[in-house]
Amino acid sequence: MNTSIINQLREILGNENLFDSIEKRIAYVSDASRLTGSIPDAVARPTTTDQVSRILRAANSARTPVYSRGAGSGLTGGAVPVRGGIVLDLELMNKILAIDVDNMTALVQPGVVTADLQQRVQRLGLFYPPDPASSDFCTIGGNVAENSGGLRGAKYGSTREYVMALEVVLADGEIIRIGSGAPKSVTGYDLVRLFVGSEGTLGVFTEILLRLIPLPEHVETVLANFPKAAQAAAAVCAMFANRITPRAAELMDEGAVECVRRYKASSALPASGVFCLFEVDGPRPATIGDADRVVEICKSNGATLVKKAANDQEREHYWQLRRAISPALYTLGRVKLNEDICVPRTRLAEMLDKTQEIGRRCLLRIVNFGHIGDGSIHVNVMLERDDEELSRKAEQAVAEIFAAAVSMGGTLSSEHGIGLTKARFLGIELPEKEFSLMARIKNLLDPNGILNPGKFLDVGRPEKP
Ligand SMILES: Cc1cc2nc3c(=O)[nH]c(=O)nc-3n(C[C@H](O)[C@H](O)[C@H](O)COP(=O)(O)OP(=O)(O)OC[C@H]3O[C@@H](n4cnc5c(N)ncnc54)[C@H](O)[C@@H]3O)c2cc1C
């Protein structure tokens, strides 16, 4: 990158918010995917939309890549720089600008941490439902860019359902506002939906207007142990069939239970079988009734132990076990390929069995957990060591898992996005014409390809492996 761009960045940001020393730049080569890219030439930490606009204008003129970054908690390498250039770290744009209690909306900057917003609105009797398991550290900007889901997706959906309007800085520095603050609007194409989930490839979000809903009066949490994952999947289908929409339905299979047990001692974890957490919410009497029915449904689907959380402390303990999975998995292997497929709920049992069959055949350890209430399974292919032959085998297993998910009417990614890790598998799901339409949209909005290059569309549409 030429010195003229660095000088322009310094003029826009001052010395304090421009990182150009190697010690600081090197901290941005990776994200939670553990993939490493190239060291960026500069890290820009803007505090205003105007600064973002000026940075993009300068980068676009010089054809310099720009990688937007929230907290770097992405699991597909979305924020990883791959061709040098500028990392645009949005951490300092972290203000909750307004909460409109009567109209139930929040206007935020992209660097707001998700849990901070959840807690602020909760104190006002309001609810922001999207709840990625990373909510304590991930940002709303990252959530919008990935259309993040999470623990309450079964009832409340993903981030997309809550984004009403966006301020976006386009590749050439132009600032646009899309969407509406009105509760309903069908004026023109739904550009907000196009930008949500665009993984930093179409523009940079600098302000986000979010829909809030009333905070549910009461929540009940039920823990259940089933001998087999397929029984847990059947119980979830039975809940919906019995007109209960659990706000959470989380599964940890035998492998996940084993590593969480190694990582964190707890009598709540079963000695064998799978561990599930269900949550229902709403008005108190109805919720208590729903929780009793969840208990019955679990029992009639083969659960060996079912227990309602007696109090907030017990409930929090159960959730801590669930949140411990990600770090605990590393007790099984040094390398983890973490995939986030989704299938229709009625195919969950079949898909869970299929992953284990693939694991046995490829001699690989596969551990599943996930938000089974909305059909999401986090499939983790665990490798003992970073080894070329093992990696090739794992990649083949992942391709088979994706192909199986798509053949069951499912998808490659329910919530983590495509980023770097899944780009080469896109051909399994995206037909040629859909891919080419997406490539034309990208080209229209970012003709010089400066926004997050090297990521999903940029590698071309691979054929089905
Ligand atoms: C332990 C753990 C648990 C997780 N659990 C879940 C879960 O339950 N559900 C789930 O969906 N995800 C989960 N994730 C993944 C991750 O937290 C989400 O993808 C999250 O939305 C990323 O937010 P971030 O701020 O860290 O974004 P980053 O990782 O920094 O960036 C992610 C993508 O967003 C783009 N981006 C960031 N900010 C902007 C912006 N302002 N404008 C345009 N593009 C932008 C980046 O370029 C990149 O492509 C988990 C991750 C971890 C480590």
Side-chain angles (χ1 to χ4, degrees), residues 50 132 214 376:
D50 180 59
S376 304

Side-chain angles (χ1 to χ4, degrees), residues 334-335 337 364 383-396 424:
R334 284 185 52 206
V335 183
L337 304 191
L364 290 166
L383 309 183
E384 287 147 30
R385 53 188 189 281
D386 204 351
D387 164 307
E388 217 174 286
E389 199 195 322
L390 264 182
S391 302
R392 242 195 327 272
K393 244 188 351 180
E395 184 141 330
Q396 182 52 37
R424 58 192 176 284

Side-chain angles (χ1 to χ4, degrees), residues 31-33 66-80 88 90 110-112 114 131-135 137-151 159 198-206 208 250 322-323 326-327 336 338 340 369 371 378 414-417 419 452 455:
D31 66 2
S33 69
V66 176
Y67 311 88
S68 299
R69 185 179 178 104
S73 72
L75 294 169
T76 56
V80 172
L88 192 65
L90 293 144
V112 167
T114 311
D131 190 32
S134 50
S135 59
F137 44 91
C138 68
T139 67
I140 297 287
N143 297 170
V144 175
E146 298 287 5
N147 185 26
S148 293
L151 306 173
T159 303
S198 60
E199 301 191 27
T201 64
L202 298 183
V204 181
F205 313 134
T206 43
I208 302 157
E250 291 291 314
R322 163 62 185 85
R323 286 193 209 102
S326 280
K336 159 175 93 153
N338 170 328
D340 64 312
F369 67 94
H371 323 302
H378 293 345
S414 60
E415 53 185 25
H416 295 162
N452 215 358
K455 306 299 160 61

Side-chain angles (χ1 to χ4, degrees), residues 41-308:
D41 299 296
V43 176
R45 290 161 50 82
T47 52
T48 66
T49 301
D50 180 59
Q51 287 181 346
V52 174
S53 163
R54 290 168 66 199
I55 292 165
L56 288 192
R57 207 176 313 134
N60 194 44
S61 303
R63 311 286 190 264
T64 299
V66 176
Y67 311 88
S68 299
R69 185 179 178 104
S73 72
L75 294 169
T76 56
V80 172
V82 289
R83 293 184 196 153
I86 304 166
V87 168
L88 192 65
D89 177 353
L90 293 144
E91 184 190 41
L92 301 178
M93 292 183 71
N94 59 3
K95 291 193 186 65
I96 297 176
L97 298 169
I99 296 176
D100 181 337
V101 175
D102 296 331
N103 288 305
M104 299 195 181
T105 60
L107 182 66
V108 302
Q109 290 187 319
V112 167
V113 170
T114 311
D116 290 349
L117 176 69
Q118 288 168 338
Q119 284 155 20
R120 265 285 289 280
V121 303
Q122 188 162 332
R123 289 199 287 274
L124 300 168
L126 296 171
F127 189 36
Y128 176 64
D131 190 32
S134 50
S135 59
D136 281 346
F137 44 91
C138 68
T139 67
I140 297 287
N143 297 170
V144 175
E146 298 287 5
N147 185 26
S148 293
L151 306 173
R152 302 173 188 142
K155 180 167 180 179
Y156 293 108
S158 303
T159 303
R160 175 181 285 143
E161 275 73 54
Y162 299 89
V163 183
M164 299 174 75
L166 290 169
E167 179 184 78
V168 186
V169 182
L170 298 178
D172 62 1
E174 191 185 343
I175 302 167
I176 59 165
R177 285 177 172 271
I178 53 175
S180 168
K184 288 166 85 177
S185 166
V186 289
T187 310
Y189 295 132
D190 191 344
L191 294 182
V192 171
R193 255 180 126 81
L194 171 66
F195 276 85
V196 175
S198 60
E199 301 191 27
T201 64
L202 298 183
V204 181
F205 313 134
T206 43
E207 271 183 27
I208 302 157
L209 182 70
L210 294 167
R211 186 165 75 91
L212 307 173
I213 61 173
L215 185 68
E217 185 193 344
H218 189 66
V219 181
E220 288 276 333
T221 306
V222 175
L223 167 150
N225 300 145
F226 294 89
K228 299 245 169 294
Q231 293 165 309
V236 170
C237 291
M239 286 173 205
F240 282 92
N242 281 280
R243 301 198 188 102
I244 297 170
T245 305
R247 80 170 188 176
E250 291 291 314
L251 167 84
M252 272 194 220
D253 78 358
E254 292 91 338
V257 170
E258 180 193 321
C259 58
V260 175
R261 197 174 325 99
R262 246 187 252 166
Y263 187 75
K264 232 176 160 59
S266 169
S267 56
L269 290 166
S272 63
V274 308
F275 173 94
C276 281
L277 273 183
F278 299 103
E279 235 172 40
V280 283
D281 66 2
R284 179 180 279 272
T287 307
I288 293 171
D290 279 354
D292 291 339
R293 286 164 70 208
V294 165
V295 170
E296 277 164 34
I297 290 170
C298 288
K299 285 184 182 158
S300 63
N301 280 277
T304 44
L305 184 147
V306 193
K307 197 169 174 310
K308 282 206 272 182

Side-chain angles (χ1 to χ4, degrees), residues 340-352 371-377 401-402 404-412 414:
D340 64 312
I341 55 167
C342 180
V343 292
R345 267 193 304 270
T346 49
R347 308 297 292 270
L348 269 171
E350 195 183 339
M351 189 65 227
L352 287 161
H371 323 302
I372 56 169
D374 61 13
S376 304
I377 311 174
I401 289 165
F402 286 154
V406 171
S407 76
M408 290 181 203
T411 179
L412 260 57
S414 60

Side-chain angles (χ1 to χ4, degrees), residues 13-50:
L13 297 163
N15 279 331
E16 198 189 337
N17 291 331
L18 172 68
F19 292 168
D20 57 353
S21 70
I22 183 75
E23 296 81 8
K24 289 195 170 157
R25 286 183 289 130
I26 210 163
Y28 289 81
V29 295
S30 190
D31 66 2
S33 69
R34 297 193 173 192
L35 291 174
T36 46
S38 60
I39 301 176
D41 299 296
V43 176
R45 290 161 50 82
T47 52
T48 66
T49 301
D50 180 59

